[in-house]
Amino acid sequence: MDQEQIISQDSEISDQPQEEIQKEKSYFADYTLQADELKKAINLDNRKRGLFKRQLILLILIVILFAYFGVYQFIAFPEQRLLSAISMVVAVFCAFFTIWFPMQNDKKYVSKVLAVWPRYTVSVSKKCLTICDPEHPEKEKRNFKLSYDERLQVYECSDLFIFVYEKRRLFCLPKKYFDMDEIIEIHELFRERCRSQFAVIDDRTGKEVGHR
């Protein structure tokens, strides 16, 4: 009887460290940013937030104004053709600016990030998400320990995990740094820890396709 108790106690002791190791397991990647991956992450975040939908609505309004103040007034009121022509030019400029400015702004952001912070490390654990600049560990603005709360949103697409913190800081983590089992484990970790703040999104539209 005593031997059985000793054996059971030994088995409990041997199991305990394994459980602790399992709980403390983390996933690490030393990531050098690629322009195409960062562009994709930004594009999907913009689509998820409905930025392109707002641009489309604005373009429709511009087209309506163009059709009325430009074309209709140009034909119906010949004496106001100069004003109509100016209105059409302004409408065309607004339409071009609505499409061009966000694209140019994203390009500048990508170039700036690649120039200033081209490499970072990502550590994913149950406790938090840690993102660091290995070349400047002393800088607080480049080293983050992000809790899994409402400030952190995590998106998953076919080849990336995308992290958006406080709706203004964006990071991405390519799946190519992990094997399939690790990808599944990371997915389950985010699904469990982030809950409604985690979503699997479509690569093309950015629409939520579920939590798998």
Side-chain angles (χ1 to χ4, degrees), residues 55 59 62 89-104:
Q55 286 179 320
L59 276 173
I62 290 171
V89 170
V90 171
V92 170
F93 175 78
C94 289
F96 172 77
F97 187 79
T98 300
I99 298 170
W100 174 84
F101 180 75
M103 292 174 60
Q104 199 67 19

Side-chain angles (χ1 to χ4, degrees), residues 20-203:
E20 289 177 359
I21 290 168
Q22 188 68 24
K23 288 178 182 178
E24 294 172 0
K25 185 176 181 181
S26 62
Y27 307 87
F28 179 83
D30 191 330
Y31 175 40
T32 300
L33 280 168
Q34 302 295 320
D36 57 336
E37 291 169 342
L38 184 55
K39 285 177 184 176
K40 181 177 181 178
I42 293 170
N43 182 57
L44 288 174
D45 180 50
N46 287 340
R47 289 184 180 278
K48 188 71 174 64
R49 291 189 291 116
L51 179 63
F52 294 129
K53 189 179 288 185
R54 292 196 293 270
Q55 286 179 320
L56 181 61
I57 292 170
L58 185 58
L59 276 173
I60 291 171
L61 289 174
I62 290 171
V63 168
I64 292 171
L65 292 173
F66 174 84
Y68 179 76
F69 290 103
V71 178
Y72 173 74
Q73 295 238 357
F74 189 85
I75 296 170
F77 305 99
E79 67 279 3
Q80 296 183 2
R81 282 184 175 176
L82 178 60
L83 182 61
S84 299
I86 293 172
S87 299
M88 285 191 283
V89 170
V90 171
V92 170
F93 175 78
C94 289
F96 172 77
F97 187 79
T98 300
I99 298 170
W100 174 84
F101 180 75
M103 292 174 60
Q104 199 67 19
N105 196 40
D106 288 345
K107 284 181 181 179
K108 285 183 179 179
Y109 176 77
V110 170
S111 300
K112 182 179 178 181
V113 170
L114 291 176
V116 176
W117 193 358
R119 173 175 164 246
Y120 54 78
T121 61
V122 178
S123 179
V124 181
S125 68
K126 282 195 172 184
K127 187 177 180 182
C128 65
L129 173 67
T130 306
I131 299 170
C132 298
D133 182 350
E135 296 179 7
H136 300 89
E138 75 285 353
K139 293 187 177 180
E140 290 185 7
K141 291 184 178 180
R142 293 197 188 181
N143 296 275
F144 304 96
K145 276 193 175 182
L146 309 180
S147 301
Y148 299 114
D149 55 29
E150 67 279 357
R151 294 173 297 173
L152 176 66
Q153 292 180 309
V154 180
Y155 307 131
E156 179 185 354
C157 62
S158 64
D159 58 345
L160 295 172
F161 289 104
I162 302 166
F163 313 114
V164 182
Y165 187 67
E166 294 182 338
K167 298 183 179 179
R168 52 195 184 88
R169 290 193 180 98
L170 183 143
F171 305 94
C172 60
L173 176 62
K175 293 181 178 179
K176 64 186 179 185
Y177 289 97
F178 307 99
D179 60 37
M180 186 55 66
D181 289 338
E182 288 177 325
I183 291 170
I184 293 171
E185 288 172 4
I186 293 170
H187 166 90
E188 290 300 324
L189 188 151
F190 286 139
R191 189 171 67 85
E192 178 190 336
R193 300 293 292 151
C194 297
R195 302 183 184 233
S196 62
Q197 299 298 105
F198 170 70
V200 180
I201 58 176
D202 184 81
D203 278 51

